[in-house]
Amino acid sequence: MTAHPPPKQKSGTSYNRRVLALSLSGAGLLIIAVAAFILLPRLTAAQNNIEEIDYQSATPIEVDYPAPELSLNSLDGNPVSLKDYKGQVILVNNWAFWCPPCRAELPALEKYYQDHNSQNFAVIAIEAGDEFEDVNYHVNLYEMTYPVWLDPYEKSLRAFGNYNLPNSYVIDAQGQVRLTWIGPITLETLEMYITPLLEQ
């Protein structure tokens, strides 16, 4: 019987290197998968719950004076004016995306707008001085469906004589400013102060 030589074995060094490389690759993928499993739900939750910010509501002050004349451009580039809304109750909100109190109240403004826009009511968000790309990003992030105007030269802040952000003004159907406040406002406070004007 003829003896056959044993099969040649792979070089121990190159084999060990290959096993080590595969092991490290697998471990790396496992770490990435675990990190994604832990972090992605948190990131999604943060995006979906941006409205859950605790803050004290501003209290509106009753006033009575004519609304200023103000013309700007909408987010889609069209010329717009407060005069276009004559006959409606409008809430003018001066804000900026980099302003935490401004961002805090956006969900409340959106909810109130959705609940009352059928009552001849509008919200106009005037963004104070920032670039279209940044403003548009935050409008989409916060799912703002009411009109947003761009104000690169802060004309609205000058027109209302108020540079504190956020600041808001409620203008009645006759063009008179009836309410004003500085700071973020809650949905409950909006209902308490603005809804009676809509029912007049």
Side-chain angles (χ1 to χ4, degrees):
M1 197 167 175
T2 308
H4 296 285
K8 289 186 180 178
Q9 303 230 349
K10 295 180 182 178
S11 164
T13 304
S14 67
Y15 178 74
N16 290 340
R17 281 182 186 162
R18 207 176 305 172
V19 169
L20 181 60
L22 290 172
S23 299
L24 290 175
S25 298
L29 290 173
L30 183 61
I31 290 169
I32 292 169
V34 169
F37 179 78
I38 292 171
L39 294 176
L40 284 179
R42 293 183 184 177
L43 292 173
T44 304
Q47 283 187 320
N48 292 337
N49 295 309
I50 51 179
E51 73 277 9
E52 294 180 7
I53 301 171
D54 189 27
Y55 60 92
Q56 293 288 328
S57 179
T59 301
I61 299 169
E62 292 186 9
V63 294
D64 190 3
Y65 60 86
E69 293 187 8
L70 183 64
S71 298
L72 293 166
N73 286 326
S74 64
L75 198 59
D76 55 11
N78 294 321
V80 284
S81 171
L82 290 182
K83 288 181 179 178
D84 300 338
Y85 292 82
K86 192 72 181 286
Q88 296 185 58
V89 175
I90 58 175
L91 190 169
V92 175
N93 176 245
N94 291 299
W95 71 293
F97 72 83
W98 45 261
C99 160
C102 301
R103 296 195 305 270
E105 71 175 349
L106 292 178
L109 295 177
E110 177 63 30
K111 178 72 167 93
Y112 190 82
Y113 172 72
Q114 290 294 335
D115 291 345
H116 296 282
N117 67 44
S118 62
Q119 295 177 263
N120 207 29
F121 170 74
V123 174
I124 300 172
I126 302 179
E127 212 285 344
D130 294 297
E131 298 291 334
F132 166 81
E133 290 78 9
D134 293 326
V135 178
N136 192 52
Y137 171 81
H138 285 85
V139 166
N140 290 325
L141 176 66
Y142 284 87
E143 299 179 345
M144 299 162 67
T145 62
Y146 45 83
V148 177
W149 297 2
L150 296 173
D151 189 8
Y153 303 110
E154 300 181 348
K155 288 173 62 177
S156 181
L157 301 183
R158 290 200 302 276
F160 284 100
N162 189 349
Y163 286 83
N164 298 292
L165 294 176
N167 64 65
S168 298
Y169 300 84
V170 175
I171 303 170
D172 68 15
Q174 288 70 49
Q176 291 290 112
V177 179
R178 298 285 300 278
L179 296 169
T180 181
W181 63 89
I182 296 172
I185 198 165
T186 62
L187 181 60
E188 292 75 18
T189 307
L190 290 168
E191 291 285 1
M192 183 185 304
Y193 284 87
I194 300 179
T195 303
L197 291 176
L198 302 180
E199 296 170 349
Q200 289 179 0

